[in-house]
Structure formats: C-alpha cells, structure tokens
Amino acid sequence: MTTILPAQLDGIPAELRQLPQWCLWKIRTRRGKPTKVPYQINGREAKPNDPSTWTTFAKMGDRCQQGYYDGPGFVFQQGGGLVGIDLDGCRDPETGEIAEWAKGVVGALSSYSEVSPSGSGVKLWVRGESPFPSGKNRKLDYPPMGGKPSAGIEIYSHGRYFAVTGLHLDGTPTTIQARDLAWLRDEFWPELKSKPVGNHVELPRPSGNGDGGLSVPERARRYVEKMPAAISGQGGHNQTFSVACALVKHFALSPDEAFPIFAEYNARCEPPWTEAELRHKLAGALEADGEVGRLRDARPERSSGGGGKSSTTTPSTPLPVSPGTVVYAADRGNYGEVVEDRGASCRVRFVNPAGGEATVTLDKALLATQDGRPLDGVEAAPLPPVVSLTDIVATFPKLRPPVLPGLRRRGETATGVAAPTAGKSGLAHGLALSVASGMPWLDTFPCEPGRVLLIDGELHPE
C-alpha cells in the first residue's frame, strides 16, 4: 500500500493560494500501475489542459478536508510564468536525508520547495521560463532513495499538475523566486546543450545526409519532442498511437529504428507504457491507413545552379514576422497574434474565447503562417482548416447533460440483466446514492449530483 503524507494547507505559499489553478487527486490503478488522477470538486476528472475543470484554493480546501481524496493539486498554466521541477527518488522518508545531486538542484534554485506526498522526493516552484516548451523528464543514474525504482527529474510549465503537500523543505525560501533554468537542460540533458550562433541559440545538429545535416531518425526525434505527452484518462491511447504513426508511417522508420525515439517519448507519459505495449502500438501503426513517408520527404530543397545540376538541401532560415501577424501554433492547435519577433522564437498572444489571454514565447519550429508556411523554414504538412463555432454547433447537436460522464446521460434508459443474487439491487442502490451525494459510483466513476426517485418493484412479501 502506498504511504501518502497528509497535506498541510497552511504551509502552501500565499502566491499559489491566490491562483484559481487547483484540483484534487487520488491514487487509482491505471494499466496495472498506481497513478495520481486529478479530480474536480464535483467528482469528475480534472484536465491539466482545461482551466474550466480547475477551481479556487478555498473551494478545493473545503472539499479536500471532507476526506476521500488523497490531497490537493496545483495545475501549471501556459503563460502563467511558473515552472515546476520534480526531483524523484532523492529523499529518505525516514531520516529526511536528501541525495547530493538533489541538494545541488535545490541549493542552486533556492526557491520554495516541499516534500512530495510519498516523502521520497522534492518539488520546487520557480518563476521563469522552462527550457522545454512541452516539458521534459529523465531517469537518472544516481542510486534511488525511498524505495523508488529509480531517481529522476521532471520539468513542466503547463499541461501538468503537481500533487501538493505544503510540507516546506527546511532551509529553502518560503516564497517562489525568479530563476534562469537553462542550466538544468545543460546539466541533465547534455546532448541538448546549446551553443551560441550569431545573436541567437541553436541546438547542436548531429551529422547526417541532407536536411541541414539532420538524419531522418533525428528529424523524427525532434518532431516527436513537440508532441504532447499521453495522460491516462485523457485520450492517452490515441495520443500515443499518433506518435507511433508519425514514426513508422510518416517518417517511414522501421520499428527497431523508431523504438528508441518512442521510448524517449514514453518517459513523458503518465503512466509510462510497458515495452510490450509500445511495440504493439508500433506494429499497429504499420497497418494503419495513411501516406507513407510524408514527413520523411518533406524537406526544403534549393537548386545548386542551372544546367540540369542536381539540387542540394541547405539549412533552413527562420522567417521574419511583424507584430500583429496571425500564426498557427502546432503544439496548442490554435491561432495567435505575434507580439515580438525574437529571431529563432516569437512572443505570441493567445485569446481564450471564454475570457482572458496569455502571451508566451514559442520556438518558430512550432509556428506557421496562415497560408501554411512554417516560420523555421522547414516544409510541413498543410494546416487544418479554420471552422467557425457556428458551423460546429450546427453540425453537432447539443448533447443531454451527463449523469455518469462517459456512461449515461439524462433521459437514457439502462437495463441491468443478471442471475438472481448477482448484485443487481446493490448496484442500483449504489448508483442512487452516488447521484444523491455526488460521490463517484463504485468509488470509480465520477457522478453528477441530482435528485433520485427509487422505485423497487420486486414485491417483497414483507
């Protein structure tokens, strides 16, 4: 049984308590592994990429103190300026001893830090910009502590949440500090260590033939690094399968060539897939419909001269853009407006139709103009068409409100058929209690609260 340290809400920094980026969490078994699943205060699962499923600290705290859930969770919002660093397997829960490598990180960042729910890790909050647009994690070769299978480090600035304890780590500030995080990339991902080129930073390119020195596997690796990680309960299978298709279908890699890249992507997934599951997805992707080699062959070629000479590939040059230009962001699946051109990157403002806006810095490799021209100069697939909300509403009629999200909606009829004494009445009574209380049915399925009319037609003699 997993030991979970009780949260101390009063120990959470005031600057975090002021933000409406809170949820609850509970450990569930997903794909045979214990997983911290985020929940809303209404019992439905929360989504780290959907602010409408988050809540205020006060509402979260009230629900958390009622029990059932394992603790509070803080969601990192894109453009919010906060970065979370999770150091795993670095602390002895019994003695409080922290591994030397983790002490170095904690000391260098010197920002609010706390003990993780298991007691075997440390979480830090920092103000700044993540060196990885989509987050990154890595298992480390240091000896693990606290019964963990391995030591590791994770860095996220959006699309993820932290299980929070409020158990402040002695010797660290009680407030969140602004820090430069580029050194973490150089320290723990040395293969991505940056080198200055002109007035901007360019990552080292391995040798290869064509496409500015990049081999096809390396191009595939960089493409997959920009794809969002799969999260259980949030379309994780479909997202992982799309990565498998990109590798073996669109880049036309063999399963053996694709597997190391797929395994790197898998390290970002929650929870990670097994090796057998990854290989099964690669095999399935080979059989999927779709154009073979579409991304492999999408390389910009410029003629080396006239007279019928063969063309050669030259490194791409980022396109300049003016403030006010509308661009498409591949990692967000949305259009935004350029605020500032920074050479290899841009500051882009995104407006939420439900209210509010966010301005973030994005690499030009993630951006394209409205007519489909990628800003990093590398040929890409056509952009998806813009569909108006009016057309969507007209095409897809409004669904009835859910009672059991994903299982039953209001007005639907369900019939339970089973042998006598199989437990039909218990299931029905349990469902009625869940609807009346708003608690998950069978301690698993989130349930919308509502009124219940229970009619028992079994004609008991008493």
Side-chain angles (χ1 to χ4, degrees):
M1 182 177 179
T2 303
T3 300
I4 300 174
L5 298 176
Q8 295 182 5
L9 301 184
D10 292 341
I12 298 173
E15 49 204 310
L16 294 181
R17 298 201 300 264
Q18 294 171 358
L19 299 174
Q21 297 169 216
W22 292 91
C23 64
L24 301 150
W25 65 272
K26 188 174 180 66
I27 290 184
R28 298 290 192 193
T29 299
R30 295 285 172 87
R31 299 202 296 269
K33 300 176 182 178
T35 305
K36 297 185 182 75
V37 179
Y39 284 95
Q40 304 178 55
I41 58 176
N42 62 11
R44 300 177 65 181
E45 287 192 16
K47 297 180 179 180
N49 59 355
D50 184 356
S52 68
T53 66
W54 313 341
T55 189
T56 63
F57 180 81
K59 292 180 180 179
M60 177 280 299
D62 290 343
R63 186 65 186 85
C64 188
Q65 291 175 347
Q66 295 176 21
Y68 180 73
Y69 295 101
D70 292 326
F74 177 83
V75 188
F76 290 91
Q77 184 174 30
Q78 185 149 18
L82 290 176
V83 181
I85 298 96
D86 187 0
L87 310 179
D88 198 22
C90 67
R91 182 179 182 273
D92 187 324
E94 301 296 329
T95 65
E97 177 189 359
I98 296 178
E100 289 300 322
W101 69 268
K103 286 182 182 178
V105 176
V106 172
L109 294 178
S110 188
S111 188
Y112 173 74
S113 308
E114 66 176 38
V115 179
S116 66
S118 66
S120 61
V122 174
K123 287 182 168 66
L124 304 90
W125 279 257
V126 174
R127 294 194 181 279
E129 188 170 328
S130 171
F132 307 108
S134 300
K136 203 81 167 175
N137 63 24
R138 165 161 286 183
K139 293 182 179 180
L140 304 176
D141 292 333
Y142 301 109
M145 302 176 71
K148 292 286 185 175
S150 62
I153 182 172
E154 302 180 32
I155 303 177
Y156 299 109
S157 59
H158 65 93
R160 294 297 180 96
Y161 84 99
F162 269 3
V164 181
T165 63
L167 301 174
H168 175 245
L169 187 68
D170 291 341
T172 66
T174 56
T175 55
I176 300 173
Q177 305 298 311
R179 298 287 184 259
D180 181 5
L181 301 176
W183 69 271
L184 282 175
R185 174 195 58 209
D186 298 343
E187 177 70 21
F188 293 99
W189 287 269
E191 71 277 11
L192 301 179
K193 190 171 183 178
S194 60
K195 298 188 297 184
V197 179
N199 59 357
H200 67 279
V201 171
E202 183 175 294
L203 296 181
R205 293 175 175 262
S207 59
N209 39 25
D211 197 25
L214 287 178
S215 64
V216 173
E218 181 59 25
R219 287 172 52 216
R221 173 177 282 105
R222 294 193 176 195
Y223 185 90
V224 168
E225 281 181 349
K226 298 168 187 174
M227 301 182 74
I231 300 176
S232 180
Q234 299 180 26
H237 166 74
N238 292 340
Q239 177 58 38
T240 308
F241 189 70
S242 69
V243 174
C245 288
L247 291 171
V248 301
K249 204 75 176 178
H250 304 315
F251 279 101
L253 299 178
S254 70
D256 288 339
E257 290 175 317
F259 186 79
I261 303 172
F262 206 19
E264 290 179 9
Y265 169 81
N266 186 48
R268 293 194 278 128
C269 298
E270 290 188 0
W273 303 87
T274 66
E275 179 178 345
E277 289 171 329
L278 293 179
R279 294 194 180 277
H280 178 72
K281 292 182 187 300
L282 289 174
L286 282 174
E287 305 299 323
D289 295 333
E291 180 183 351
V292 177
R294 177 176 63 84
L295 294 175
R296 176 198 60 193
D297 300 332
R299 294 180 294 181
E301 295 186 348
R302 297 178 175 85
S303 174
S304 59
K309 292 183 180 180
S310 61
S311 62
T312 58
T313 303
T314 58
S316 60
T317 301
L319 300 179
V321 287
S322 303
T325 301
V326 176
V327 294
Y328 177 78
D331 67 330
R332 299 171 67 98
N334 199 3
Y335 290 85
E337 180 182 353
V338 173
V339 176
E340 179 186 1
D341 187 345
R342 296 185 172 181
S345 63
C346 286
R347 291 284 289 171
V348 182
R349 178 169 58 242
F350 296 92
V351 178
N352 187 338
E357 61 180 50
T359 301
V360 298
T361 301
L362 295 175
D363 192 293
K364 285 188 176 179
L366 298 173
L367 301 173
T369 60
Q370 285 183 291
D371 60 2
R373 291 183 302 139
L375 298 189
D376 65 352
V378 178
E379 195 172 323
L383 297 179
V386 178
V387 181
S388 71
L389 183 60
T390 302
D391 292 339
I392 295 176
V393 173
T395 305
F396 300 97
K398 184 178 181 180
L399 297 174
R400 293 174 177 175
V403 176
L404 286 175
L407 295 177
R408 285 289 177 269
R409 294 182 177 273
R410 291 183 185 178
E412 294 180 342
T413 301
T415 303
V417 180
T421 71
K424 300 185 297 297
S425 296
L427 286 175
H429 284 79
L431 177 58
L433 288 172
S434 293
V435 173
S437 64
M439 300 297 287
W441 183 45
L442 301 178
D443 200 31
T444 300
F445 302 102
C447 193
E448 289 292 328
R451 295 185 299 174
V452 176
L453 173 62
L454 181 62
I455 301 175
D456 187 342
E458 292 190 302
L459 302 177
H460 297 292
E462 62 272 17

